[in-house]
């Protein structure tokens, strides 16, 4: 069969939905196998386009009738558009012509087709026309076409009548534990990003920030279309997307077409994109033998770009998969997540008020402290570093330091997580409020037009209060300097605004008053 087809995977994990009755249906006589089970007969491994092919289709119809199935769901459609290694020559349209009124985009994950259309899809797979998919009815029925003309039919019922019919057609059904083509995720722990409200909000934000203007819509493996995004057309593009499509958001094409084409590799398959003066986007998959021709073809394009087809060389900004109308993500795309996708998956585990641990990685010149909290970089603004006044973050933290902090918010759109170091520390302000009425002597730290600030604690990060000009002694006004000691009374503590009001005049004792008048 076509080389782009998903090969048999390991058995599904425990608890997955495996049908109880699974049969391998073949045209090969089991007597023509060696001790290892390999076929050694003379039957060709290609469709005969005739009675054997017809027998296969009749057998599937018989099993569907026994199971009372009238429709099948397309799962994980694949189109082998780049290369063909089958036993038969490829055909135009991959055998899908006229099966989908809306065109090839109708061949998408989740599409419902009647049994008659499902049989035509099986015919295309048997003939190795370049299209492949799993045909399934959840919990009831499956049809998988394997290599070398093997069919795997699963049912929720024994289907005795269908088995009898299959044998009468000259085919050989064999009972198996499971189809080797049952879906099993490559990485069960990988959680894909759904194209939900957070995704569309992020996309709007990214386009507005001019960081992304192109979206790749993949509706079947090796089959995609491209959309230019603007602030005005995102919702219009969204409305025409294929159900369960995988979306990849990319930076803009280069208006310097020559510079774009200079990124072509020496060898290998790439996808070349270009936009003409009418805004039409064209893409073509080429290798090194076609680079010169495609370079000539895009002369006069307004913008162009080159995208590698190698998974480890494709770097979209972020990706998502369209959920169904009920919000459930059922598509089974198995792709490498982008850094943004991994960040999204991590952010989904966080919640406001959660306490996290991390390592200080950077202290920026503008005062923000960046912290690694498990592969994601969160940030702490200066006011959240300490309850006490500080001049710079390095007064509290240092690069490489392990810290514990509280999550203040989880911004799924901008993918930002502000933290608070002081939130996990005891708030000293209530204790300060208990000192209202006390008289203290502290150093003047700052002089402003409306008064002076005095530190009321004997420590570098001690709290400071304001002595308003109206609360300064007449002998002090215009004379006091930074560093002078001033005796003041704590007259108010505003816990909400974190402010301390002081008075020098109210701090005078009778003895001091007498001395002044002596």
């Amino acid at each position: 069969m076509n080389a782009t087809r998903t090969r048999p995977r390991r058995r599904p994990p425990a608890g997955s939905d495996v049908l109880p009755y699974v049969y391998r249906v073949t045209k090969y006589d089991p007597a023509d196998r060696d001790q290892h089970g390999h076929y050694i007969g003379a039957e060709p491994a290609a469709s005969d386009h005739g009675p054997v092919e017809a027998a296969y289709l009749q057998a599937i119809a018989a099993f569907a009738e026994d199971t009372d199935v009238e429709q099948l769901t397309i799962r994980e459609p694949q189109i082998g558009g780049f290369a063909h290694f089958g036993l038969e020559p490829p055909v135009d349209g991959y055998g899908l012509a006229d099966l989908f009124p809306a065109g090839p985009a109708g061949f998408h994950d989740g599409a419902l087709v009647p049994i008659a259309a499902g049989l035509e899809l099986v015919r295309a797979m048997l003939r190795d026309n370049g299209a492949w998919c799993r045909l399934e009815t959840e919990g009831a029925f499956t049809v998988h076409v394997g290599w070398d003309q093997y069919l795997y039919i699963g049912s929720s019922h024994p289907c005795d009548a269908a088995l009898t019919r299959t044998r009468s057609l000259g085919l050989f059904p064999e009972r198996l534990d499971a189809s080797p083509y049952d879906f099993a995720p490559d990485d069960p722990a990988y959680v894909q990003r759904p194209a939900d409200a957070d995704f569309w909000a992020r996309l709007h934000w990214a386009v507005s920030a001019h960081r992304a203007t192109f979206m790749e819509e993949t509706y079947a493996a090796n089959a995609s279309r491209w959309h230019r995004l603007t602030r005005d057309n995102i919702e219009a593009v969204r409305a025409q997307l294929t159900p369960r499509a995988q979306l990849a958001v990319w930076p803009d094409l280069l208006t310097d077409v020559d510079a774009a084409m200079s990124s072509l590799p020496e060898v290998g398959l790439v996808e070349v994109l270009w936009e003409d003066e009418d805004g039409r986007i064209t893409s073509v998959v080429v290798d090194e033998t076609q680079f010169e021709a495609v370079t000539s073809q895009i002369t006069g394009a307004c913008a162009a770009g080159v995208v590698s087809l190698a998974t480890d060389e494709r770097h979209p900004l972020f990706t998502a998969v369209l959920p169904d109308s009920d919000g459930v993500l059922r598509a089974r795309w198995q792709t490498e997540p982008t850094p943004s996708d991994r960040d999204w998956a991590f952010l989904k585990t966080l919640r406001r008020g959660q306490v996290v641990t991390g390592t200080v990685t950077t202290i920026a010149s503008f005062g923000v402290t960046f912290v690694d909290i498990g592969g994601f970089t969160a940030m702490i603004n200066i006011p959240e570093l300490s309850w006490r006044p500080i001049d710079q973050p390095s007064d509290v933290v240092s690069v490489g330091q392990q810290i514990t902090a509280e999550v203040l918010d989880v911004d799924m759109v901008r993918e930002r997580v502000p933290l608070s170091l002081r939130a996990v520390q005891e708030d000293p302000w209530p204790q300060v409020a208990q000192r209202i009425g006390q008289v203290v002597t502290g150093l003047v730290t700052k002089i402003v037009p409306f008064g002076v600030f005095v530190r009321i604690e004997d420590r570098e990060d001690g709290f400071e209060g304001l002595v308003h000009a109206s609360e300064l002694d007449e002998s002090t006004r215009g004379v006091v300097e930074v560093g002078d000691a001033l005796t003041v009374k704590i007259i108010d503590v505003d816990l909400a605004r974190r402010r301390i009001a002081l008075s020098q005049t109210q701090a005078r004792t009778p003895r001091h008053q007498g001395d002044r008048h002596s």
Side-chain angles (χ1 to χ4, degrees):
M1 304 302 294
N2 192 287
T4 58
R5 177 177 310 164
T6 303
R7 290 181 177 273
R9 304 186 182 190
R10 62 183 179 273
R11 284 286 305 280
S16 62
D17 187 15
V18 178
L19 294 175
Y21 300 95
V22 179
Y23 304 94
R24 176 169 61 188
V25 177
T26 78
K27 62 182 180 180
Y28 309 119
D29 190 331
D32 294 330
R33 293 181 186 162
D34 62 20
Q35 65 272 26
H36 303 294
H38 300 148
Y39 177 67
I40 55 176
E43 282 278 355
S47 173
D48 67 348
H49 295 225
V52 174
E53 179 184 272
Y56 273 130
L57 302 184
Q58 291 175 55
I60 295 171
F63 277 95
E65 184 178 357
D66 261 13
T67 316
D68 294 326
V69 168
E70 297 179 352
Q71 287 185 313
L72 296 171
T73 302
I74 294 172
R75 299 308 314 267
E76 297 178 283
Q78 302 178 30
I79 292 178
F82 307 147
H84 185 89
F85 301 100
L87 297 174
E88 301 187 22
V91 300
D92 292 338
Y94 312 108
L96 305 177
D98 301 324
L99 285 181
F100 303 97
F107 183 57
H108 64 79
D109 192 276
L112 280 174
V113 295
I115 288 294
L119 294 178
E120 289 305 311
L121 286 172
V122 171
R123 187 193 306 276
M125 290 186 269
L126 290 171
R127 295 185 180 186
D128 198 21
N129 288 160
W132 189 86
C133 66
R134 292 180 175 89
L135 291 168
E136 301 178 351
T137 300
E138 187 174 0
F141 190 69
T142 60
V143 178
H144 303 154
V145 179
W147 298 88
D148 301 330
Q149 303 287 293
Y150 282 99
L151 282 183
Y152 298 90
I153 303 175
S155 175
S156 56
H157 304 292
C159 299
D160 293 333
L163 287 170
T164 300
R165 174 62 174 154
T166 299
R167 294 187 182 99
S168 71
L169 291 167
L171 301 176
F172 301 92
E174 305 167 77
R175 179 80 180 270
L176 301 177
D177 290 334
S179 164
Y181 290 87
D182 281 333
F183 174 78
D186 294 332
D187 181 5
Y190 170 45
V191 179
Q192 294 174 315
R193 173 186 292 196
D196 56 9
D198 287 335
F199 168 82
W200 292 107
R202 176 164 176 75
L203 185 58
H204 276 279
W205 176 78
V207 172
S208 296
H210 304 290
R211 292 188 60 246
T213 53
F214 272 83
M215 175 187 287
E216 181 184 17
E217 173 200 0
T218 301
Y219 55 87
N222 301 337
S224 61
R225 53 187 180 179
W226 293 80
H227 308 275
R228 168 177 276 284
L229 300 178
T230 67
R231 299 179 186 182
D232 300 325
N233 77 345
I234 290 180
E235 292 305 315
V237 170
R238 179 180 179 180
Q240 62 177 309
L241 294 174
T242 306
R244 298 191 184 179
Q246 183 186 52
L247 310 177
V249 180
W250 296 83
D252 200 357
L253 298 180
L254 296 178
T255 55
D256 186 339
V257 176
D258 291 337
M261 299 310 291
S262 67
S263 65
L264 285 169
E266 292 186 6
V267 296
L269 280 171
V270 296
E271 187 167 8
V272 177
L273 311 170
W274 67 93
E275 183 179 19
D276 63 22
E277 58 184 8
D278 295 323
R280 287 189 297 265
I281 304 167
T282 304
S283 70
V284 61
V285 174
V286 293
D287 62 16
E288 63 276 5
T289 65
Q290 302 160 300
F291 288 169
E292 184 175 349
V294 76
T295 300
S296 301
Q297 185 178 354
I298 67 174
T299 300
C302 299
V306 176
V307 176
S308 173
L309 295 182
T311 301
D312 57 353
E313 296 177 4
R314 290 174 61 86
H315 304 295
L317 297 175
F318 51 98
T319 65
V321 178
L322 284 175
D324 289 346
S325 58
D326 59 3
V328 177
L329 197 158
R330 295 185 176 88
R332 299 165 173 171
W333 295 100
Q334 298 282 304
T335 55
E336 182 64 24
T338 69
S340 178
D341 295 337
R342 286 187 286 268
D343 287 346
W344 170 85
F346 180 75
L347 292 179
K348 295 292 285 186
T349 69
L350 299 179
R351 65 186 184 280
R352 186 178 300 176
Q354 181 177 345
V355 176
V356 296
T357 58
T359 303
V360 177
T361 58
T362 308
I363 299 177
S365 59
F366 50 89
V368 175
T369 300
F370 294 97
V371 183
D372 184 332
I373 56 171
F376 180 85
T377 301
M379 59 185 183
I380 307 177
N381 290 314
I382 284 185
E384 295 298 333
L385 282 170
S386 176
W387 293 106
R388 296 184 171 277
I390 60 173
D391 293 327
Q392 53 193 4
S394 57
D395 293 340
V396 179
V397 294
S398 58
V399 173
Q401 180 181 346
Q402 298 284 321
I403 66 168
T404 299
E406 181 179 302
V407 175
L408 293 180
D409 191 24
V410 181
D411 187 337
M412 298 298 294
V413 174
R414 293 171 176 80
E415 294 183 356
R416 293 178 182 173
V417 176
L419 303 177
S420 175
L421 188 60
R422 73 179 189 176
V424 298
Q425 302 166 349
E426 183 179 359
D427 184 356
W429 278 88
Q431 295 181 2
V432 175
Q434 294 178 8
R435 297 179 61 186
I436 294 175
Q438 288 185 5
V439 175
V440 298
T441 298
L443 297 180
V444 174
T445 59
K446 187 187 304 182
I447 299 175
V448 293
F450 47 85
V452 300
F453 284 91
V454 176
R455 183 180 297 146
I456 64 172
E457 294 178 303
D458 187 17
R459 50 189 291 177
E460 286 296 321
D461 61 354
F463 288 114
E464 300 174 355
L466 172 66
V467 184
H468 193 271
S470 62
E471 295 292 338
L472 283 172
D473 191 277
E474 292 181 2
S475 63
T476 303
R477 297 173 189 170
V479 179
V480 68
E481 296 181 352
V482 172
D484 287 351
L486 212 63
T487 299
V488 296
K489 182 178 182 179
I490 302 173
I491 59 174
D492 188 40
V493 176
D494 187 337
L495 290 176
R497 302 170 70 186
R498 305 288 172 171
R499 292 181 179 179
I500 302 171
L502 306 175
S503 173
Q504 184 189 25
T505 58
Q506 297 181 43
R508 292 180 300 179
T509 64
R511 181 174 61 84
H512 290 151
Q513 294 177 16
D515 290 342
R516 286 189 60 194
H517 292 94
S518 61

